Amino acid sequence: PVPKITDGYICISKTGETLQNYILNTQLSNNFYDFLWYLNGEIIPNAPNNSKYTATEVGTYGVVVKNNSTGCASDMITANVLT
């Protein structure tokens, strides 16, 4: 699989509240693939096994995608989320 995610922006208030999230979209089907999401190189605990992930923090997000039928996995693809 060849996932694609792109850099994006979130909006955070001066008090640290996230006002606008950013959705990372691999452009792959949930029906055929498993998704493992990372933030700054660490697996995101309890991240949904989903082709899309909602970023609520600044950092470098990554995803590894595995084909359910072949077991083949992608390289980690990353995108930066900034304010």
Side-chain angles (χ1 to χ4, degrees):
V2 183
K4 297 177 182 176
I5 55 176
T6 56
D7 295 344
Y9 294 90
I10 61 174
C11 182
I12 299 176
S13 72
K14 291 181 182 180
T15 62
E17 178 185 359
T18 302
L19 302 175
Q20 180 180 336
N21 300 324
Y22 178 71
I23 297 176
L24 297 154
N25 184 354
T26 65
Q27 303 174 25
L28 295 173
S29 171
N30 290 324
N31 296 329
F32 303 110
Y33 302 100
D34 285 327
F35 303 87
L36 196 55
W37 289 96
Y38 295 79
L39 175 57
N40 298 324
E42 301 290 328
I43 292 175
I44 300 172
N46 303 315
N49 181 17
N50 196 298
S51 64
K52 297 178 184 177
Y53 184 80
T54 302
T56 59
E57 299 178 43
V58 170
T60 300
Y61 287 81
V63 65
V64 174
V65 179
K66 184 179 82 170
N67 184 308
N68 289 332
S69 61
T70 67
C72 294
S74 70
D75 291 331
M76 183 184 294
I77 304 300
T78 61
N80 294 308
V81 174
L82 309 169
T83 55

